[in-house]
Amino acid sequence: MAREEAKLSEAKASYRSAKAIGNHEEEARWANVIGNLLKDRGEYLQALNWFDIDYHLCTKYLSPKHSLATCQSLGEVYLRLERFEDALVYQKKHLMLAEEANDLVEQQRANTQLGRTYHEMYLKSLDEHQSVQNAKKYFKSAMKLAQAIKDNPPSNKSFFIKEYIDAHNNVGLLELDRDNLEEAEKILTKALVICDQEEVNEYDDGRTRLHHNLGKIYTELRMWENAREHIEKDILICKQIGHCEGEAKGYINLGELHNRVQKYQEAILCYQKALDLANSMEDEDALVRQIEDNIKTVKELGKVMDDMKREEQNLKKLTRDMAIARGTTHKRNCQLKQIASLDVLINKSETISAWPKVLEFAKKKKKVATEICDKEKIADSLLSIGESYLKLRKFQKALKWCMKSLKIYKSLGNLEGQALTQINIGHVLDSEGYYEEALNAFTDSYRLAVEGKLSYVQRTALENMHYSNLNRFDDVEETRRLQLEIDKLEQNNEGLETEITAEDRCSESSTEGSGDFSDNMPNACCSEEIRNSQSSKSQSLNQKEELNDDVPLISLIRSTKVSSKMKSAHLENNEHGVVGRKRIRLVLSDDEDEMSDEAESPKVRHNKIPLNVATSSEVKTRSNTASPTTKFQDVSAFTSNCATRSDPPVNTEESSSSCKSRTLNMATPEGKSFRASSSGEGFNASGSKCDVSVSGNILHKNDAAQFMLLTSDDKHNQCITFEIDEDIIQDSFMASDNLSIESVKVQLACLYYLQLPMERKLEGLLPIIQNVKCGEKVIESLETIKTFRGHMGKIVVEAVIDGWVQKRLIKLYTDYCYKVSETPNMKLLKKLYDLEVSDDEVTVSECELQDLSITPLLNALHAHKTFAMLDLSHNLLGNGTMEKLQQVLTSSGQKYGGLTLDLHCNSFGPTALFQICECPLLFTRLEVLNISGNRLTDACASYLSTILENCKALCSLSIERCSITSRTIQKVADALSAGSVLEQLCIGYNKPISGSAITNLLVKLGTLKRFSKLNMNGLKLSKLVVDNLCQLAKHLSLSVLMLGETGIGLDGALLVTESLFHGIEEFVKLDLSYCGVTYNYAVKLSTNSSMVCGILELSLSGNPIMQEGSNALSSMLLNSQCCLKVLVLQKCQLGISGVLQIIQALSGNAFLEELNLAENADIGKEYSAPYDVAEKGSVGLSQPNLNMLESSPLVSVFKDVSQLEVADSEDDEVGVEAAASARNQSCSSSCQRNSSSTECQFLEEFSTAIDMAKNLRFLDLSKNGFSTQCAEILYSSWSRSRSVSARRHIKDKTIHFFVEGMMCCVKPCCRKD
């Protein structure tokens, strides 16, 4: 400030000197300088006085060209004061003078100023159509002039880069305000690229505007991390260059970002900083008022969130009451109260723009409404679901649910519902680019609103029609006509607010579910009482504005002007979300999976599972519910883990038990609630079909224990009754297609443990179930259980306990679940139960864990202290989990012993690596770090560098699919030193990565003594890189080299392969999938003895190997020196004959264990040539149509064979042989009787080949045209010839044959080297 004051005093002194000597030119110049200094300080009125002096002097004493600068300054100050008419006068004069002087630079500046003024007028809705057209015209003209000056700069001017960048910013900002987010992002990102290309200063004010606007765009797109990154850069630059106003607006942006994710305390802090900055400037009263109003609004939203927490607890209580009331006369009363509570929660969630929560509550409401057969409430919930998906930018889902809602509203003749739904449909279509169809939907909404005399819906529809005509169709006349209609409607509704307030005073009496209800309401589906009550509520609500997250926060101020009574009515009675005029395109959500469609029947859904139960299909729909992490999420955590009362903690995740009983909800794969209680209180099985009977002996023996499964009323979805150690467990295990009998045993063991009383859980002993039996027959597969359908209520399946195993971690986990009222995750329990691993190896991948639901596990690990491996892959975890994990590792005090961290495929950001850098214990322990599949970006470069430098034991690093570029790869290379013990590095599927960066990395890797495994899948490798890779392969003994999708071609593949065996005898895993190699590679491979005996695993998937290649590969497999254990030939165009030829070659091969031959048959081709064994030898080249087999005699043979049970274990080998014998004899006789025996003969050869390949442990024949019947016949050969228990996975086009101990359908990223 002192420097600014000095400059101002010096300028005023110079002005007085010029005035004293009568030098008008200098006098005008210094007046302009003083005005600009005051303008930069925000003292606009004083600046205006000095610019007036400058203008007066120029017009009276100087030539017109001297007026250029003062006209520009006057126009800019008037614009900042929002005196648009005055601004336009001087800006147009500025442009006229510049054109007369033929000054392109001043013309560009004048066009820019005019564009900004018209842009502001458009935002203020002042003559919108003319304003937006003029803004576009002047901005585009300014950009053309800027480019022309940049390309041909005047000799005395700069290169005009800054103005060219500002022109992009202005055009991008206009597109942003016109709802074209993608176009705006494209333009502004291009401007940033220009800044980098032209080496614009890092702290240039042009950059700050770009970051500011990109922050706004990403906020609207809900890309929170990107938004925060740009907003913080904006603030940093403004602070560096002393741009006080820009810094304040940056904090406003950051505050709104926090507001969008319901982090209200952080938002208030940001607004307070912005307010302090705004108060430090003069004449910024409008900005100060805006910030103050924002703070008030955020505080109000915080109160709404507090109300939500209390109402959620009420809903949980109602849910517990509902579980007790099922089958009693109080059931309907509870359901109506649930709907009333859900209405309040939906309304409050809409108020704070927590759209994932709206979606959650609306789906719950739909479930309850379906149960009571209230069509109008079903339609209302469908409308809320559709609107939620709309706000989350899941447009196809939004359209689906809105169309369902519209259909029901039409059947009910509900004009209000139809009109509101049409508005949402219009928004969906507009967001998808179907502008004409969107306008039609808005027009239909207006027609329906007029017909129903719904004035508020009329206005909403008119505003959307106005928006479409203005921004989509550029229809001037129609836009003006619609504006007149809107103005006319406003005049007619001046007294509306008073009427609404009067009506809301009586709203409590009409709220369904809040008072006494008739328990015997007849004909609920068509109850006029319900319908009328609903209609009354809808009318009272719909006249209230909604708080919309799709406009800047300042727009929320208008809502605060409404009376408190009206606000209360809005919060409590809002049944339909009224969608106001669109200014900003609806925002994009994080990834969320859609729930299964349960609209058809109220009986197909089970009790709602708590938020963090990963075994329920509904968890995925709530995966965006935020956790208390540093990473932004859609909705902040509304519930705390502990209750503040003296009572036992309330289950904040929707417990179905009372607080006093300290019960625990357990989710089963069917989505049912499993109850394990530590008190004697329990539910009364009152004869309702929903209540599964409770084992009498458990209740008798264990007074402190209860066990119950709550199922649906669907009589077709009956449970299986299992008896374990004289206790009864009922459940259905048919939910998962891939569930094996072994998985059932594990699940039964976990369920049994959970139902034990607390005193029996102290040692953490879980049963080991040897087998399950029905009578005296051991059940070997779930297919046997399926034969019990129709008799499940009468049959008891016995589970035989073979022993007990102590699982301390399971005990700790369930204990902490009790403490925080969290629901145990069945998938996680089954993973922890794994008998093949110790408690030191914690593998909980694919458990749908989130930052909140993983808390009990982390607490358990904290108590457990020591573990050597932690696999959290394929979950929904963010940076918050990493913070907690760092605390767990630090508190463990374990300084020795290797540690493996597998974190791939989660939602971690770059700062997750910061937690590793901040944990000194990891410097000596961390050996394996896999963080692939997380969006780390180049922001992680310094963290990776620190990890490589400090973690001395790190031998494996995986950073595939992390959105990193050459910069990060170079940092990784720089961090590697000769003393590093790194053995494995995976950097695949990142782009763009330059050849020079990869070359530098390869050079550094060549200096490491232990390095032997390199994965570069998905990177495009140039010839220079391939040459350097060959040098590395010759220098190091590489055991794993993954080059899939690198495009190196045949020559590159041959060079690399030859280099791998250059005088070094090492066994190698080599991936050349989708590299463009041909059958010549297979030929070369089969003839090179060093290669044949050196490759252990080979993948050639996606390469045109063709029939010629199958001949060479067969020859290689027949070679006694061949050491291949894994061969992947998926999608290699081998043809079905080539597939057979390769399997036949395994009859004498004692090494190959895994063979993938999927997708090699040309199923679409018509085959006319017969399969002639005599002519073609052992394998023919023409391919029979395997789909014809379904109509061949073989199918009837299969039907006979299917009556015999095909065993899954070697114990029933006699039965399998009998089945195979029957198949052989029947097939032979059938073929003799049928003239078309080609298919039968072909299948016989396949069966024989599979039978002979006795060493094979895994075979994939998927998508080769085999029918299910054929696959079963082939499996009989497979199971007969294996030395261990055979397994299969046959579904649709998937055909996997494997043996016990092998994994089926393993994700590529989870395969271990």
Side-chain angles (χ1 to χ4, degrees):
M1 289 297 293
R3 184 189 301 177
E4 292 177 3
E5 287 294 339
K7 285 184 179 180
L8 185 60
S9 298
E10 183 181 341
K12 286 182 177 179
S14 299
Y15 168 77
R16 288 193 294 269
S17 299
K19 184 176 181 180
I21 64 176
N23 187 339
H24 298 304
E25 184 174 350
E26 282 296 297
E27 186 181 353
R29 186 174 72 84
W30 283 111
N32 189 275
V33 170
I34 295 169
N36 279 307
L37 288 172
L38 292 168
K39 179 193 69 176
D40 292 340
R41 292 171 55 171
E43 301 175 17
Y44 300 133
L45 295 178
Q46 290 189 44
L48 196 59
N49 292 333
W50 285 98
F51 287 139
D52 280 336
I53 294 171
D54 177 22
Y55 182 74
H56 173 73
L57 291 169
C58 290
T59 53
K60 187 173 181 180
Y61 299 109
L62 304 176
S63 62
K65 71 176 184 178
H66 288 91
S67 301
L68 286 169
T70 188
C71 286
Q72 178 193 357
S73 299
L74 282 166
E76 184 175 357
V77 173
Y78 279 123
L79 172 59
R80 294 193 183 188
L81 292 171
E82 297 186 0
R83 292 167 57 177
F84 300 121
E85 294 301 325
D86 293 328
L88 289 174
V89 169
Y90 288 103
Q91 289 165 359
K92 288 181 178 179
K93 186 167 186 178
H94 180 206
L95 179 59
M96 180 188 72
L97 292 172
E99 289 174 344
E100 289 176 357
N102 197 25
D103 190 333
L104 294 182
V105 173
E106 290 299 327
Q107 288 181 45
Q108 196 275 339
R109 290 173 180 165
N111 276 287
T112 299
Q113 288 269 3
L114 283 164
R116 287 179 56 203
T117 301
Y118 280 116
H119 185 189
E120 288 295 325
M121 292 174 66
Y122 168 68
L123 295 179
K124 300 289 183 183
S125 298
L126 301 175
D127 192 12
E128 287 179 294
H129 184 271
Q130 198 62 39
S131 296
V132 74
Q133 294 302 316
N134 284 330
K136 282 199 297 185
K137 178 180 76 172
Y138 287 117
F139 279 151
K140 288 184 177 179
S141 177
M143 180 177 282
K144 289 180 181 178
L145 287 167
Q147 185 166 5
I149 299 170
K150 171 181 169 291
D151 295 339
N152 299 288
S155 57
N156 60 336
K157 299 289 181 181
S158 65
F159 289 106
F160 223 69
I161 300 300
K162 180 179 177 182
E163 288 79 0
Y164 186 53
I165 292 167
D166 286 342
H168 280 81
N169 178 69
N170 292 331
V171 175
L173 183 57
L174 182 61
E175 293 299 327
L176 165 63
D177 291 325
R178 296 184 70 235
D179 192 21
N180 297 324
L181 295 181
E182 291 81 4
E183 184 64 24
E185 181 193 11
K186 179 180 175 183
I187 293 169
L188 296 176
T189 304
K190 178 183 176 183
L192 273 181
V193 171
I194 294 172
C195 287
D196 294 335
Q197 291 174 344
E198 300 292 343
E199 298 182 355
V200 175
N201 190 289
E202 184 180 357
Y203 295 106
D204 187 81
D205 59 346
R207 283 183 181 269
T208 186
R209 287 185 284 275
L210 296 174
H211 288 304
H212 180 88
N213 292 326
L214 280 168
K216 291 171 66 177
I217 289 172
Y218 287 123
T219 298
E220 296 306 325
L221 292 173
R222 294 185 184 247
M223 300 171 67
W224 309 127
E225 289 300 321
N226 289 348
R228 184 170 64 173
E229 178 183 348
H230 285 286
I231 293 171
E232 288 177 348
K233 285 182 179 178
D234 170 31
I235 294 171
L236 179 64
I237 297 172
C238 287
K239 185 176 291 187
Q240 187 75 18
I241 64 177
H243 186 6
C244 193
E245 182 189 10
E247 187 179 353
K249 290 182 177 179
Y251 277 115
I252 292 175
N253 253 7
L254 190 58
E256 184 161 351
L257 175 61
H258 285 298
N259 169 66
R260 290 290 185 88
V261 293
Q262 289 75 47
K263 293 180 178 290
Y264 296 128
Q265 291 303 317
E266 292 89 337
I268 290 173
L269 289 175
C270 291
Y271 287 136
Q272 191 59 53
K273 289 182 181 178
L275 185 61
D276 294 341
L277 290 165
N279 282 326
S280 69
M281 299 184 288
E282 295 187 20
D283 303 327
E284 283 290 357
D285 297 338
L287 185 61
V288 170
R289 286 195 301 274
Q290 174 187 345
I291 298 169
E292 289 175 343
D293 287 335
N294 284 353
I295 292 174
K296 291 177 184 177
T297 302
V298 168
K299 288 180 178 178
E300 288 297 318
L301 295 178
K303 293 177 182 177
V304 176
M305 180 184 282
D306 293 337
D307 292 341
M308 271 190 67
K309 293 178 183 178
R310 288 189 289 271
E311 189 57 40
E312 282 192 282
Q313 294 302 321
N314 179 46
L315 179 63
K316 290 176 176 63
K317 178 181 179 299
L318 290 173
T319 303
R320 293 192 294 270
D321 294 343
M322 183 64 208
I324 296 172
R326 286 193 181 278
T328 71
T329 56
H330 300 292
K331 176 180 177 181
R332 180 172 180 78
N333 193 15
C334 288
Q335 289 170 325
L336 293 175
K337 288 182 179 179
Q338 278 185 305
I339 286 182
S341 177
L342 287 166
D343 285 339
V344 174
L345 286 169
I346 290 170
N347 184 21
K348 292 184 185 298
S349 300
E350 288 175 346
T351 302
I352 65 173
S353 303
W355 296 108
K357 299 294 283 185
V358 175
L359 183 64
E360 174 189 343
F361 296 134
K363 288 185 175 181
K364 288 182 178 180
K365 178 183 174 182
K366 172 180 168 294
K367 174 179 177 288
V368 180
T370 305
E371 289 175 355
I372 66 173
C373 300
D374 190 326
K375 286 190 175 181
E376 187 147 14
K377 284 185 171 60
I378 293 172
D380 291 342
S381 58
L382 292 174
L383 178 59
S384 295
I385 292 170
E387 185 180 2
S388 300
Y389 279 127
L390 175 64
K391 296 299 176 70
L392 297 172
R393 284 184 73 89
K394 293 187 177 288
F395 301 125
Q396 291 302 316
K397 293 181 181 181
L399 187 60
K400 165 190 166 184
W401 291 98
C402 286
M403 293 304 293
K404 287 185 176 184
S405 176
L406 183 62
K407 183 178 179 181
I408 298 177
Y409 280 133
K410 283 183 177 179
S411 69
L412 297 173
N414 187 325
L415 296 177
E416 182 184 32
Q418 292 180 61
L420 290 169
T421 307
Q422 286 286 12
I423 289 175
N424 278 348
I425 291 172
H427 285 172
V428 172
L429 294 170
D430 180 83
S431 299
E432 290 277 72
Y434 300 107
Y435 302 136
E436 187 173 346
E437 292 82 353
L439 181 58
N440 291 338
F442 295 141
T443 305
D444 287 343
S445 174
Y446 178 67
R447 174 182 55 78
L448 291 163
V450 171
E451 184 179 346
K453 298 181 181 179
L454 305 166
S455 58
Y456 81 96
V457 185
Q458 290 179 41
R459 168 160 182 176
T460 304
L462 282 172
E463 287 181 338
N464 281 284
M465 292 163 65
H466 177 274
Y467 174 86
S468 289
N469 282 285
L470 173 66
N471 290 288
R472 304 308 187 201
F473 298 103
D474 199 18
D475 191 332
V476 182
E477 296 304 321
E478 184 64 11
T479 300
R480 288 175 178 167
R481 184 189 72 79
L482 290 168
Q483 186 60 55
L484 291 174
E485 289 286 339
I486 294 170
D487 295 340
K488 181 179 177 181
L489 195 61
E490 285 180 346
Q491 293 173 4
N492 294 336
N493 294 332
E494 286 179 352
L496 181 61
E497 184 174 327
T498 306
E499 294 173 14
I500 296 173
T501 305
E503 183 178 350
D504 287 341
R505 290 194 180 106
C506 305
S507 62
E508 292 180 3
S509 62
S510 64
T511 303
E512 190 171 19
S514 61
D516 294 332
F517 298 92
S518 170
D519 293 329
N520 299 303
M521 297 180 67
N523 303 322
C525 286
C526 55
S527 170
E528 288 299 324
E529 181 181 344
I530 294 175
R531 204 166 292 162
N532 292 338
S533 172
Q534 176 68 33
S535 178
S536 172
K537 291 193 312 181
S538 298
Q539 290 173 6
S540 66
L541 136 89
N542 286 326
Q543 300 169 34
K544 173 72 181 72
E545 295 177 7
E546 77 164 353
L547 294 178
N548 195 325
D549 74 336
D550 297 327
V551 293
L553 184 59
I554 188 61
S555 67
L556 299 176
I557 300 167
R558 299 189 184 95
S559 300
T560 65
K561 298 178 182 177
V562 187
S563 67
S564 59
K565 280 284 183 183
M566 186 170 181
K567 183 183 295 183
S568 175
H570 170 63
L571 297 182
E572 293 179 5
N573 296 321
N574 189 3
E575 288 287 329
H576 306 293
V578 182
V579 183
R581 184 177 187 176
K582 279 199 352 177
R583 269 298 187 200
I584 294 179
R585 180 169 289 183
L586 297 163
V587 293
L588 179 64
S589 147
D590 299 321
D591 269 14
E592 173 193 8
D593 293 334
E594 181 185 3
M595 287 178 57
S596 57
D597 181 6
E598 71 274 19
E600 288 72 14
S601 169
K603 299 180 180 180
V604 297
R605 293 290 308 281
H606 304 282
N607 282 9
K608 185 72 72 177
I609 299 304
L611 179 64
N612 292 312
V613 178
T615 49
S616 167
S617 63
E618 289 192 14
V619 171
K620 294 179 181 178
T621 69
R622 294 190 285 273
S623 62
N624 292 326
T625 302
S627 311
T629 73
T630 57
K631 185 168 183 173
F632 286 100
Q633 302 288 339
D634 274 322
V635 184
S636 61
F638 296 141
T639 56
S640 62
N641 286 337
C642 300
T644 56
R645 299 167 39 184
S646 59
D647 296 330
V650 177
N651 186 349
T652 60
E653 301 300 332
E654 187 183 308
S655 169
S656 60
S657 61
S658 70
C659 300
K660 295 179 181 178
S661 66
R662 288 182 57 81
T663 60
L664 195 64
N665 278 344
M666 184 62 233
T668 65
E670 285 291 304
K672 300 178 286 297
S673 294
F674 167 88
R675 280 173 58 84
S677 171
S678 59
S679 79
E681 299 177 327
F683 294 144
N684 178 18
S686 58
S688 167
K689 291 182 181 179
C690 294
D691 297 330
V692 180
S693 60
V694 183
S695 169
N697 52 3
I698 292 180
L699 296 177
H700 178 72
K701 291 192 303 179
N702 306 317
D703 185 50
Q706 283 279 347
F707 173 79
M708 179 170 287
L709 248 60
L710 299 176
T711 69
S712 73
D713 294 301
D714 191 348
K715 64 182 179 181
H716 299 294
N717 190 20
Q718 298 175 350
C719 291
I720 305 171
T721 302
F722 290 90
E723 180 181 1
I724 306 179
D725 196 24
E726 298 183 354
D727 290 336
I728 299 298
I729 290 180
Q730 289 183 319
D731 200 6
S732 172
F733 293 90
M734 302 303 179
S736 175
D737 293 323
N738 295 329
L739 202 65
S740 67
I741 197 68
E742 295 301 323
S743 181
V744 169
K745 294 177 185 178
V746 172
Q747 187 161 322
L748 281 173
C750 294
L751 288 172
Y752 178 79
Y753 174 78
L754 288 173
Q755 61 87 36
L756 292 174
M758 294 301 293
E759 59 270 19
R760 292 183 59 185
K761 294 181 181 178
L762 294 177
E763 295 181 0
L765 292 175
L766 280 82
I768 300 173
I769 298 179
Q770 182 182 23
N771 51 48
V772 290
K773 300 191 298 183
C774 184
E776 296 301 319
K777 182 176 181 180
V778 175
I779 298 175
E780 296 290 346
S781 71
L782 286 182
E783 292 182 357
T784 307
I785 296 179
K786 292 178 182 178
T787 62
F788 299 157
R789 289 188 184 277
H791 305 282
M792 289 184 180
K794 304 173 184 177
I795 296 177
V796 177
V797 178
E798 180 186 1
V800 180
I801 295 178
D802 188 38
W804 298 82
V805 61
Q806 186 175 41
K807 289 291 181 180
R808 181 169 177 261
L809 200 52
I810 289 182
K811 178 193 178 299
L812 291 171
Y813 170 67
T814 53
D815 286 349
Y816 280 107
C817 283
Y818 279 116
K819 289 182 181 179
V820 298
S821 298
E822 176 65 73
T823 302
N825 182 320
M826 176 55 77
K827 290 185 177 180
L828 188 148
L829 287 173
K830 290 168 68 175
K831 296 273 188 178
L832 295 180
Y833 180 85
D834 192 346
L835 298 177
E836 296 183 2
V837 299
S838 68
D839 280 354
D840 288 339
E841 299 176 56
V842 184
T843 302
V844 289
S845 61
E846 296 187 271
C847 291
E848 298 177 12
L849 294 172
Q850 303 177 34
D851 286 336
L852 191 60
S853 60
I854 198 176
T855 301
L857 176 63
L858 294 177
N859 290 338
L861 291 174
H862 182 271
H864 190 61
K865 295 297 184 184
T866 59
F867 55 91
M869 185 186 79
L870 180 60
D871 183 354
L872 299 175
S873 61
H874 293 282
N875 283 295
L876 307 168
L877 303 172
N879 292 349
T881 295
M882 205 61 197
E883 291 181 18
K884 299 172 188 175
L885 181 59
Q886 192 249 40
Q887 296 170 9
V888 170
L889 291 168
T890 302
S891 63
S892 70
Q894 186 180 1
K895 299 179 180 180
Y896 308 103
L899 176 65
T900 295
L901 282 182
D902 192 344
L903 309 173
H904 77 272
C905 294
N906 275 283
S907 299
F908 294 114
T911 54
L913 296 179
F914 171 74
Q915 303 300 330
I916 297 177
C917 299
E918 289 293 298
C919 185
L921 289 177
L922 291 181
F923 293 168
T924 56
R925 290 196 62 201
L926 187 61
E927 292 184 349
V928 177
L929 176 61
N930 184 351
I931 197 158
S932 300
N934 292 283
R935 185 173 172 77
L936 301 182
T937 72
D938 284 335
C940 75
S942 59
Y943 301 134
L944 285 175
S945 178
T946 302
I947 290 171
L948 286 167
E949 290 172 356
N950 294 337
C951 296
K952 302 300 183 183
L954 187 67
C955 59
S956 176
L957 175 64
S958 298
I959 48 174
E960 290 186 287
R961 303 182 191 275
C962 289
S963 302
I964 60 177
T965 66
S966 303
R967 194 175 90 190
T968 301
I969 298 300
Q970 188 60 57
K971 280 265 190 181
V972 169
D974 294 342
L976 293 173
S977 63
S980 172
V981 297
L982 191 70
E983 298 176 7
Q984 178 173 351
L985 179 63
C986 304
I987 59 172
Y989 299 105
N990 289 297
K991 62 180 181 180
I993 296 180
S994 65
S996 60
I998 299 176
T999 299
N1000 292 339
L1001 177 64
L1002 295 177
V1003 171
K1004 272 299 186 77
L1005 293 176
T1007 64
L1008 307 184
K1009 297 179 180 179
R1010 301 188 183 182
F1011 190 79
S1012 61
K1013 301 175 183 179
L1014 179 60
N1015 184 333
M1016 295 197 293
N1017 284 338
L1019 305 183
K1020 300 305 176 184
L1021 305 183
S1022 64
K1023 187 179 184 305
L1024 178 61
V1025 174
V1026 172
D1027 291 341
N1028 282 278
L1029 181 60
C1030 292
Q1031 292 297 322
L1032 179 69
K1034 292 177 181 178
H1035 177 67
L1036 297 177
S1037 300
L1038 293 181
S1039 60
V1040 175
L1041 184 57
M1042 312 293 282
L1043 300 176
E1045 300 180 52
T1046 53
I1048 61 176
L1050 175 62
D1051 294 338
L1054 288 173
L1055 283 173
V1056 169
T1057 308
E1058 290 171 356
S1059 301
L1060 287 170
F1061 303 101
H1062 185 75
I1064 300 174
E1065 295 182 1
E1066 287 288 339
F1067 293 116
V1068 173
K1069 175 181 178 179
L1070 181 61
D1071 184 355
L1072 296 173
S1073 57
Y1074 297 93
C1075 280
V1077 304
T1078 64
Y1079 69 89
N1080 289 321
Y1081 181 84
V1083 172
K1084 178 71 173 177
L1085 200 62
S1086 64
T1087 56
N1088 190 315
S1089 59
S1090 63
M1091 295 181 187
V1092 168
C1093 64
I1095 300 179
L1096 282 182
E1097 299 184 29
L1098 176 64
S1099 175
L1100 296 175
S1101 296
N1103 293 301
I1105 303 300
M1106 315 297 285
Q1107 176 66 40
E1108 295 87 341
S1110 66
N1111 295 332
L1113 291 171
S1114 299
S1115 174
M1116 180 182 69
L1117 292 171
L1118 288 169
N1119 190 330
S1120 59
Q1121 293 182 314
C1122 179
C1123 296
L1124 265 178
K1125 286 197 171 185
V1126 178
L1127 178 60
V1128 183
L1129 298 173
Q1130 182 176 0
K1131 227 170 184 178
C1132 287
Q1133 304 176 35
L1134 301 176
I1136 200 67
S1137 302
V1139 169
L1140 175 58
Q1141 184 177 3
I1142 288 175
I1143 297 176
Q1144 287 176 330
L1146 298 179
S1147 59
N1149 188 297
F1151 288 95
L1152 194 70
E1153 296 181 355
E1154 298 181 40
L1155 177 60
N1156 186 337
L1157 293 169
E1159 299 184 74
N1160 275 293
D1162 188 1
I1163 299 173
K1165 183 178 178 181
E1166 294 293 337
Y1167 302 104
S1168 57
Y1171 178 79
D1172 191 343
V1173 180
E1175 185 176 348
K1176 299 292 183 182
S1178 62
V1179 179
L1181 296 180
S1182 84
Q1183 304 186 31
N1185 188 348
L1186 295 176
N1187 291 317
M1188 291 174 58
L1189 288 172
E1190 294 196 27
S1191 59
S1192 73
L1194 211 55
V1195 175
S1196 61
V1197 176
F1198 175 76
K1199 290 178 181 177
D1200 296 333
V1201 175
S1202 65
Q1203 302 304 314
L1204 300 173
E1205 183 176 350
V1206 180
D1208 283 339
S1209 70
E1210 56 187 336
D1211 296 335
D1212 289 332
E1213 195 169 329
V1214 175
V1216 176
E1217 290 177 356
S1221 176
R1223 172 182 57 76
N1224 293 337
Q1225 295 174 7
S1226 299
C1227 188
S1228 299
S1229 60
S1230 297
C1231 291
Q1232 290 171 2
R1233 291 192 303 267
N1234 193 294
S1235 58
S1236 178
S1237 62
T1238 302
E1239 290 81 10
C1240 183
Q1241 183 178 359
F1242 192 77
L1243 194 61
E1244 279 294 314
E1245 295 206 11
F1246 251 106
S1247 299
T1248 303
I1250 291 173
D1251 196 357
M1252 296 297 292
K1254 297 183 184 298
N1255 194 62
L1256 207 57
R1257 296 168 57 82
F1258 178 89
L1259 176 61
D1260 188 346
L1261 294 175
S1262 304
K1263 298 183 182 179
N1264 279 316
F1266 291 105
S1267 66
T1268 302
Q1269 291 90 335
C1270 294
E1272 292 289 353
I1273 292 173
L1274 295 178
Y1275 176 70
S1276 68
S1277 294
W1278 172 270
S1279 59
R1280 177 183 60 189
S1281 55
R1282 299 311 104 180
S1283 59
V1284 292
S1285 297
R1287 300 284 184 265
R1288 69 184 180 277
H1289 174 200
I1290 300 175
K1291 183 184 177 185
D1292 299 329
K1293 297 180 181 180
T1294 300
I1295 303 175
H1296 293 163
F1297 300 154
F1298 54 105
V1299 298
E1300 186 177 4
M1302 297 294 291
M1303 297 292 291
C1304 173
C1305 301
V1306 179
K1307 293 182 176 68
C1309 58
C1310 296
R1311 294 185 182 276
K1312 306 298 181 183
D1313 292 330

